[in-house]
Amino acid sequence: MSFFSEKRSPKGIFTAINSLNKFPQQLLAKLCQDVVDALQYKGSVPQVSHYQSELEKNSIDLGKNEVQSTINVLFFLYRDANRVSNLDQKQFLEILQKQTGITNQAGKVLATIWEREKENLPSLSMPNVGKLIDFKWKVGVTFSSSISENLVTPFITVNISVSNTDELVQTHSFEMSVPEFKEFARNLKEINQLLEVI
Amino acid sequence: MELKHFDFLLSSLVKKLYHKDKSITNEYLQEGVIDSQLGNDQVLTLVDTLEPILLEIGHSDLSQNALEKLLEPLELRQDFHQHFLKYWEQQRDEIRSIVRNELIFNDRLSGVSWRVDMKTNSKKISNINQPIAIVELLLSRNQQEREDTKSIMFEIDKTQISNLVNQIEEIESLLEKGIQQKN
């Protein structure tokens, strides 16, 4: 699903660019730089409130969601451009102008930063990361076996379905003993806590 | 024979029986106690008595009392007897988990790792910059002599992980109830 190579636009891009067009040039340049820095893990994700107040100082009134969408669209554009090999400044600007309603001025700002930073952006390597489609489980107690007579112990069996980037769904099944399950549970709870906080 | 020789035999046999260490041969055991003044035959006889006990206590998950009963007819020296009991006490958890894992015939979960990312590509602009977790599960299976491991990676968002944790908590409470019933 690519913008710069396949010219496919994500939903909401026009509205986001519309808001972006309202930014004063210098502030837009700062925002682009912040996004690019964040992509290089050099800085944290730009704060909506900060940019909202900067816009207000310039008598530009944009709501929280609108400002958020400008940040999102910049992340999207720079990340996507990074995926295309040898995308130069001219092409970057051309595609941007053809595919969105970006103004000349705003487009030039984005393209200039692209030209300057494109070598520094980390290469994207996310092979084979699928999406979790389904999670099934059962708990059983083994009360006898050929290996061990008395080891009465619960086992947790999990069946997960993952769809990969080609929309193919693969199902994997695995078993856990109680201590293994506890470790699994601990990890998932940690992830949950983190995602809640961010 | 000194305590250190007895200890060597015990720990080597555990390696052989539970950790499937092929290098623990009779020769290896005899070499290990060469300064004990035990004849080679005596060593083998001792090994023959210790092995079945070690197998029994691990696979049947015997208690200290049960082990005591098994050791009685052997009439071991007092310090050897005590050492065996103490050794079993220390090794029990690890051996139990080895036997439990032997009961998993297909894939077992051998590792979990993850990180949290900000999503920067999506069909909808509003989804971008949402945090997502990328989880990697390592599934291992014992194939003849080796262990085969495969890795499964998937991304999971806030809603999904929250649902997952609910299910995890359900399993946890089931296990709690099960353990309570057992006791």
Side-chain angles (χ1 to χ4, degrees):
Chain A
M1 172 55 225
S2 172
F3 178 79
F4 284 100
S5 58
E6 292 164 33
K7 321 288 190 296
R8 280 153 78 177
S9 305
K11 220 165 137 179
I13 196 171
F14 267 89
T15 327
I17 296 284
N18 216 17
S19 303
L20 205 70
N21 284 337
K22 297 183 183 158
F23 274 60
Q25 200 168 1
Q26 266 194 327
L27 191 62
L28 181 57
K30 172 107 194 352
L31 181 57
C32 291
Q33 189 62 56
D34 279 355
V35 167
V36 163
D37 283 349
L39 280 173
Q40 293 171 58
Y41 302 106
K42 281 205 292 198
S44 53
V45 173
Q47 291 293 332
V48 169
S49 47
H50 169 78
Y51 280 92
Q52 234 188 334
S53 66
E54 289 298 304
L55 286 166
E56 254 171 56
K57 287 182 194 160
N58 286 279
S59 310
I60 298 167
D61 186 25
L62 281 180
K64 246 201 311 218
N65 286 341
E66 290 167 285
V67 176
Q68 183 67 66
S69 73
T70 62
I71 297 173
N72 291 354
V73 80
L74 285 173
F75 265 102
F76 169 75
L77 289 171
Y78 282 123
R79 186 109 175 179
D80 189 83
N82 196 28
R83 280 206 177 91
V84 181
S85 43
N86 303 324
L87 185 73
D88 67 25
Q89 188 178 9
K90 191 161 156 254
Q91 290 168 310
F92 182 99
L93 183 57
E94 257 177 30
I95 297 172
L96 204 57
Q97 284 170 329
K98 274 206 190 114
Q99 297 291 116
T100 72
I102 202 163
T103 59
N104 249 344
Q105 195 183 43
K108 284 204 181 109
V109 172
L110 266 66
T112 311
I113 306 240
W114 165 247
E115 183 61 30
R116 198 169 67 209
E117 297 286 345
K118 64 185 186 193
E119 300 301 316
N120 300 331
L121 286 174
S123 60
L124 301 161
S125 52
M126 255 303 135
N128 304 326
V129 176
K131 282 199 163 65
L132 183 67
I133 304 285
D134 194 22
F135 180 89
K136 292 206 267 268
W137 58 268
K138 67 181 188 206
V139 179
V141 178
T142 300
F143 64 83
S144 189
S145 77
S146 54
I147 293 170
S148 157
E149 276 177 22
N150 288 355
L151 206 63
V152 174
T153 180
F155 281 104
I156 299 98
T157 309
V158 167
N159 212 283
I160 58 167
S161 301
V162 174
S163 83
N164 66 13
T165 42
D166 294 327
E167 308 290 326
L168 245 95
V169 178
Q170 276 187 314
T171 302
H172 306 273
S173 172
F174 58 90
E175 282 188 301
M176 294 178 271
S177 59
V178 173
E180 282 165 356
F181 168 74
K182 289 206 169 120
E183 178 67 9
F184 183 62
R186 187 183 66 78
N187 275 287
L188 292 183
K189 286 178 180 175
E190 245 181 86
I191 297 174
N192 190 35
Q193 270 189 324
L194 254 176
L195 289 190
E196 266 180 26
V197 162
I198 294 183
Chain B
M1 181 168 74
E2 289 167 41
L3 192 60
K4 64 174 184 181
H5 301 124
F6 186 71
D7 181 68
F8 168 78
L9 288 177
L10 271 187
S11 50
S12 306
L13 285 175
V14 164
K15 273 195 212 143
K16 173 183 168 192
L17 297 172
Y18 291 102
H19 299 274
K20 315 288 187 217
D21 189 338
K22 291 256 150 78
S23 67
I24 313 286
T25 57
N26 283 341
E27 287 75 35
Y28 174 86
L29 295 169
Q30 286 161 341
E31 281 289 307
V33 297
I34 200 120
D35 60 335
S36 69
Q37 282 151 9
L38 277 180
N40 278 346
D41 279 348
Q42 284 172 305
V43 174
L44 290 185
T45 313
L46 186 53
V47 164
D48 281 345
T49 21
L50 292 174
E51 265 195 19
I53 295 181
L54 284 170
L55 275 173
E56 172 87 20
I57 54 177
H59 286 139
S60 303
D61 194 28
L62 294 182
S63 61
Q64 291 284 66
N65 285 340
L67 174 57
E68 283 250 36
K69 291 220 174 77
L70 275 180
L71 290 180
E72 256 173 48
L74 280 155
E75 290 179 340
L76 286 173
R77 222 167 79 182
Q78 177 68 343
D79 56 344
F80 290 178
H81 182 99
Q82 288 307 319
H83 183 75
F84 202 137
L85 289 175
K86 199 174 97 178
Y87 185 74
W88 174 237
E89 176 100 29
Q90 290 167 343
Q91 293 295 308
R92 199 171 169 203
D93 280 345
E94 196 190 334
I95 290 179
R96 214 200 238 136
S97 91
I98 290 175
V99 174
R100 248 198 314 247
N101 282 345
E102 272 180 41
L103 287 173
I104 295 177
F105 299 147
N106 298 315
D107 287 336
R108 59 166 238 284
L109 185 66
S110 54
V112 183
S113 54
W114 53 270
R115 69 164 206 257
V116 172
D117 268 4
M118 300 299 271
K119 200 173 175 57
T120 54
N121 192 12
S122 171
K123 286 204 179 93
K124 282 163 49 167
I125 289 284
S126 57
N127 279 347
I128 293 177
N129 274 358
Q130 290 304 303
I132 51 165
I134 299 184
V135 179
E136 182 186 36
L137 299 179
L138 290 176
L139 305 185
S140 295
R141 177 193 288 240
N142 284 329
Q143 293 281 55
Q144 310 297 70
E145 304 285 298
R146 339 175 293 272
E147 200 182 57
D148 273 344
T149 301
K150 66 177 172 181
S151 137
I152 302 169
M153 269 209 276
F154 55 86
E155 60 174 49
I156 183 168
D157 63 31
K158 235 190 245 198
T159 320
Q160 284 177 310
I161 189 78
S162 175
N163 287 338
L164 255 191
V165 169
N166 285 340
Q167 306 217 48
I168 295 291
E169 286 171 347
E170 228 188 293
I171 300 175
E172 278 175 336
S173 71
L174 271 174
L175 290 174
E176 268 306 296
K177 271 195 225 143
I179 293 171
Q180 277 169 9
Q181 274 178 357
K182 196 173 158 194
N183 293 341

